[in-house]
Amino acid sequence: MPDFVQLSATVTLRTLREGDAAALLHAYVRNREHLAPWEPARLESFFTVEAQTTMLAFQLEELATGVGLPLALWECDRVVGRVTLSRIVRGPLQSASVGYFIDGEHTGSGLASAALAHTLEQAQGTLGLHRIEASTLLHNAGSQRVLRRVGFTQIGMAPEYLKIAGEWRDHLLFQRILGERMPVPR
């Protein structure tokens, strides 16, 4: 993957590196309320540089071993979003899961779609993956629009799939088969 990709006049997408923990912490603190309805309940310890350093080290180890690709959207020195490929599986599956968020100040800007589209190109071209899966809460229409915009299709619904905001929540399941022609946006 190139060192960075320009997504807009002010925002770039790049792989996380050692030393990014403080910027990640600031993004999570700044977006704490914005992300709370969509993420697992976070302990106070999550919002420390120590916790972010530990999580970053884990994600960089996943990157080194080929089972993850942690990316961040950067506006100057601020993280304004994340896209992460995780659970990369090789062999006959050639698949991964994707998760993402966009800073509350940037929702509706098209940055999530642009970052996800580029990540899918890398998943297919650089990583040689065949399929990417994603899930959203049933009522997360914004995230569902982003997924559909970049060619994901809904494949089902999983009851009590993830514990989000302290409760087991149903999720819609999506997938994108890489190499398929992109659908025409509606």
Side-chain angles (χ1 to χ4, degrees), residues 134-136 138 153-159 170-175:
S135 66
T136 72
L138 301 182
T153 55
Q154 184 181 330
I155 58 170
M157 192 279 288
D170 299 345
H171 279 66
L172 296 179
L173 304 177
F174 292 83
Q175 74 174 6

Side-chain angles (χ1 to χ4, degrees), residues 1 15 62-63 67-71 83-86 88 119 122 127:
M1 178 170 169
T15 306
E62 287 187 327
L63 175 65
V67 297
L69 178 62
L71 305 167
V83 179
T84 303
L85 288 179
S86 60
I88 296 174
T119 303
Q122 294 303 308
L127 300 176

Side-chain angles (χ1 to χ4, degrees), residues 129-160:
L129 296 176
H130 170 70
R131 178 183 170 276
I132 306 296
E133 64 183 39
S135 66
T136 72
L137 288 165
L138 301 182
H139 63 282
N140 192 343
S143 192
Q144 293 162 23
R145 276 191 302 275
V146 167
L147 290 171
R148 287 186 175 102
R149 193 172 294 131
V150 297
F152 279 78
T153 55
Q154 184 181 330
I155 58 170
M157 192 279 288
E160 299 184 23

